[in-house]
Amino acid sequence: MAPWTAALERLRETVSTGRAVPAEFRRTQLQGLERFLNENRQLLQEALAEDLHKSDFESDISELLLCRNEVAFALRNLNTWIKDEPVAKNLLLQLSSTFIRKEPYGLVLIMGPWNYPINLTLVPLVGALAAGNCVVLKPSEISRSVERVLAQLLPRYLDPSCFTVVLGGPQETGRLLEEKFDYIFFTGSPRVGRMVMSAAAKHLTPVTLELGGKNPCYVHDDCDPQTTANRVALFRFFNAGQTCVAPDYVLCSREMRERLLPALQRAITRFFGADPQVSPDLGRIVSDRHFQRLQGLLRCGQVAIGGQSDPRDRYIAPTVLVDVQETEPVMQEEIFGPILPIVTVGGMGEAVEFIRRREKPLALYAFSRDSQVIHKVLDRTSSGSFTSNDGFVFLSQMTLPFGGIGNSGMGRYHGKFSFDTFSHFRSCVLSSHHLEQLNQVRYPPVGPWSRKLITWAVEFPNCTIQ
Ligand code: NAD
């Protein structure tokens, strides 16, 4: 028997009785989650520091605050979100009541990665609980300290009949995925995303896949180099570059590259001092295996800034590479570390071509003073999100959906989008048993007059009441 069998049975029982569906039950769970975040703030910060050397500020702004916001937003809007949503009717259904009911899927599996191990497990959890689901949470085994806190403490704040944490690495998770879930929400790599989707296909379970990839950052010639360098460096080196939406590489002209390099050096020194290894604000690589991979990437192209590393504390200096080839690993795989290659292109047209030749990214950045340039890049490309002259600030805005496209994922969440993701939109038509006289017109044999009337009653747009 698998270690999760009893817990899953308990959760399935709750799903079948509908115990997690009433608004009050959902509200209690969300309040429990809120208390967990408030009462364990320091413990969570310490766990993040142990796993990733995150500073308190980074932990707060990119993990805890975002979770607290999501809970508060869900609590404030829950009553509105869960209401049946009336829809416009055609003439055929004028005497019926037509609406969308937001039903919980039932048993939901949430699988998280290690890079923002609180944010990327608890933000989806808010949506799943708000929508009235029962949840199996599978945090990453790589961010061990956070995994421990989530496994030991979070269940104390939530009802055990609707929530459980399952632990394990690839092998255990592979077995867990053989179970039948009603929805799977996965955040991680495209490689594992494919495995999750094929496991889900066996049960026809719907999925959201929040994946990664390489996020381009185009810098136009008209930019102020220092302003651009400050912003690119901030978001590239945040969490030691281990961010799915970080700018992965810069595309710019050779002239702009020459102006950006000293500006990037100034930004790095300003943020992390002359020796970034002693800076409290620079994270560390999560594991030896990830460190080894990144060390390999440092051998691509030429090191223009940084390049130092120290395996003892898995430190990699904020690094800028130049003269990299498109065929080198640093331009083939998602970097996911504090390394920024600069690839030179002839101009905006060539940059757009470069981006379009590759998989659709999770995030795309463009820097220019000229709004026409920004709009051209926006119009001619596709990505999960698009930001001009800044980094991943869109994550702070719960009214914007977060999600990828193509190789960077499918589905979206945050704020109301999370609630919708974890809800089945059930089409409801409540008609009366009476009025049989009116219905006679629909029954065969349908004569020419009836046919005309019925067609007219359902044809758009003349008979749709808005
Ligand atoms: P990962 O795909 O290795 O792991 C994610 C989850 O899958 C973990 O819980 C892990 O235990 C599980 N897992 C790993 N191998 C498995 C296997 N063989 N079978 C079943 N389950 C398995 O991802 P990661 O290394 O934790 O995170 C880094 C990746 O996640 C990057 O590609 C990054 O871009 C992506 N990411 C995406 C987002 C987003 O929101 N789109 C956010 C963060 C990270």
Side-chain angles (χ1 to χ4, degrees):
M1 194 167 89
W4 51 76
T5 306
L8 256 61
E9 271 171 19
R10 196 171 66 232
L11 267 54
R12 286 194 183 112
E13 173 67 17
T14 309
V15 170
S16 73
T17 59
R19 182 159 181 262
V21 178
E24 255 337 283
F25 185 91
R26 306 184 198 195
R27 193 172 284 285
T28 309
Q29 303 316 307
L30 292 171
Q31 285 162 345
L33 186 50
E34 192 170 47
R35 273 192 301 114
F36 167 77
L37 289 163
N38 291 334
E39 289 174 16
N40 299 289
R41 187 173 178 161
Q42 200 184 336
L43 210 61
L44 289 165
Q45 282 175 337
E46 283 164 10
L48 287 165
E50 271 166 37
D51 287 335
L52 290 145
H53 195 256
K54 287 198 194 202
S55 69
D56 282 357
F57 173 70
E58 262 198 38
S59 296
D60 232 10
I61 200 79
S62 64
E63 304 243 30
L64 305 178
L65 178 66
L66 295 184
C67 295
R68 287 201 306 273
N69 281 352
E70 289 279 346
V71 179
F73 191 63
L75 278 169
R76 176 178 295 181
N77 290 290
L78 192 64
N79 285 345
T80 316
W81 293 347
I82 65 179
K83 270 194 195 129
D84 290 340
E85 196 177 306
V87 292
K89 292 185 277 192
N90 62 30
L91 282 188
L92 191 72
L93 297 173
Q94 267 315 290
L95 299 176
S96 305
S97 155
T98 66
F99 57 90
I100 301 166
R101 169 152 297 181
K102 283 60 164 282
E103 279 188 355
Y105 276 101
L107 183 60
V108 166
L109 170 64
I110 296 175
M111 293 174 63
W114 50 262
N115 61 333
Y116 291 87
I118 297 171
N119 172 348
L120 298 172
T121 46
L122 300 194
V123 170
L125 179 62
V126 172
L129 293 175
N133 295 284
C134 292
V135 180
V136 177
L137 187 71
K138 214 304 283 175
S140 171
E141 72 288 5
I142 293 173
S143 38
R144 279 194 212 113
S145 304
V146 170
E147 184 198 39
R148 197 169 48 242
V149 178
L150 291 178
Q152 288 177 358
L153 294 185
L154 183 54
R156 295 186 199 167
Y157 292 82
L158 299 173
D159 192 316
S161 70
C162 80
F163 177 78
T164 192
V165 178
V166 169
L167 304 181
Q171 216 182 353
E172 295 81 6
T173 314
R175 278 173 50 221
L176 177 66
L177 282 166
E178 289 169 13
E179 299 279 352
K180 186 177 187 317
F181 293 97
D182 300 309
Y183 200 94
I184 301 179
F185 187 101
F186 170 81
T187 306
S189 59
R191 181 183 69 83
V192 180
R194 283 189 183 87
M195 295 181 196
V196 170
M197 196 165 172
S198 62
K202 292 206 181 80
H203 301 291
L204 288 178
T205 298
V207 291
T208 291
L209 302 177
E210 297 283 341
L211 311 177
K214 291 184 80 61
N215 306 312
C217 176
Y218 172 61
V219 179
H220 198 59
D221 273 346
D222 63 358
C223 287
D224 172 58
Q226 195 58 60
T227 303
T228 309
N230 291 345
R231 297 179 192 182
V232 172
L234 173 65
F235 290 100
R236 167 74 282 191
F237 301 124
F238 198 88
N239 196 23
Q242 300 165 115
T243 305
C244 56
V245 282
D248 186 273
Y249 59 94
V250 163
L251 289 167
C252 65
S253 69
R254 194 163 281 276
E255 299 72 46
M256 179 44 89
R257 183 187 78 178
E258 293 317 306
R259 289 191 280 153
L260 268 182
L261 283 172
L264 281 165
Q265 177 65 77
R266 278 192 294 275
I268 291 166
T269 311
R270 174 178 163 195
F271 297 169
F272 308 114
D275 179 7
Q277 192 167 5
V278 296
S279 164
D281 296 316
L282 184 69
R284 290 296 182 270
I285 306 310
V286 73
S287 77
D288 292 337
R289 178 167 62 85
H290 294 82
F291 177 83
Q292 298 300 339
R293 185 185 65 80
L294 287 166
Q295 268 211 320
L297 298 187
L298 288 174
R299 288 192 282 275
C300 301
Q302 298 290 324
V303 172
I305 297 171
Q308 303 83 358
S309 60
D310 183 349
R312 283 170 308 177
D313 72 344
R314 298 192 297 274
Y315 163 75
I316 292 189
T319 296
V320 180
L321 300 176
V322 293
D323 299 332
V324 292
Q325 302 300 314
E326 235 187 295
T327 50
E328 288 185 281
V330 82
M331 286 309 295
Q332 292 291 320
E333 57 192 72
E334 180 180 7
I335 296 173
F336 228 57
I339 303 171
L340 180 70
I342 302 183
V343 176
T344 54
V345 286
M348 187 202 52
E350 212 177 291
V352 165
E353 274 317 300
F354 189 97
I355 295 164
R356 287 174 62 101
R357 271 207 313 275
R358 307 173 80 102
E359 297 283 8
K360 289 182 182 175
L362 185 58
L364 201 157
Y365 303 95
F367 284 75
S368 174
R369 292 173 193 267
D370 183 346
S371 68
Q372 283 193 5
V373 169
I374 299 297
H375 277 279
K376 276 183 186 154
V377 180
L378 173 59
D379 294 348
R380 294 177 191 176
T381 56
S382 175
S383 57
S385 65
F386 177 87
T387 308
S388 76
N389 298 308
D390 214 335
F392 41 86
V393 285
F394 54 87
L395 293 178
S396 63
Q397 177 76 45
M398 283 180 286
T399 47
L400 284 172
F402 177 52
I405 175 168
N407 198 63
S408 56
M410 60 186 72
R412 66 208 64 78
Y413 73 126
H414 284 191
K416 167 84 159 47
F417 301 101
S418 299
F419 177 85
D420 289 350
T421 283
F422 287 106
S423 300
H424 164 57
F425 279 34
R426 187 176 186 188
S427 292
C428 299
V429 177
L430 304 191
S431 293
S432 161
H433 187 68
H434 308 294
L435 308 168
E436 183 57 3
Q437 208 46 43
L438 269 177
N439 281 301
Q440 296 299 327
V441 71
R442 306 188 301 182
Y443 301 142
V446 178
W449 184 85
S450 301
R451 187 179 169 150
K452 209 169 164 183
L453 185 70
I454 295 167
T455 307
W456 174 73
V458 295
E459 194 164 42
F460 182 82
N462 38 338
C463 296
T464 298
I465 312 301
Q466 293 297 335

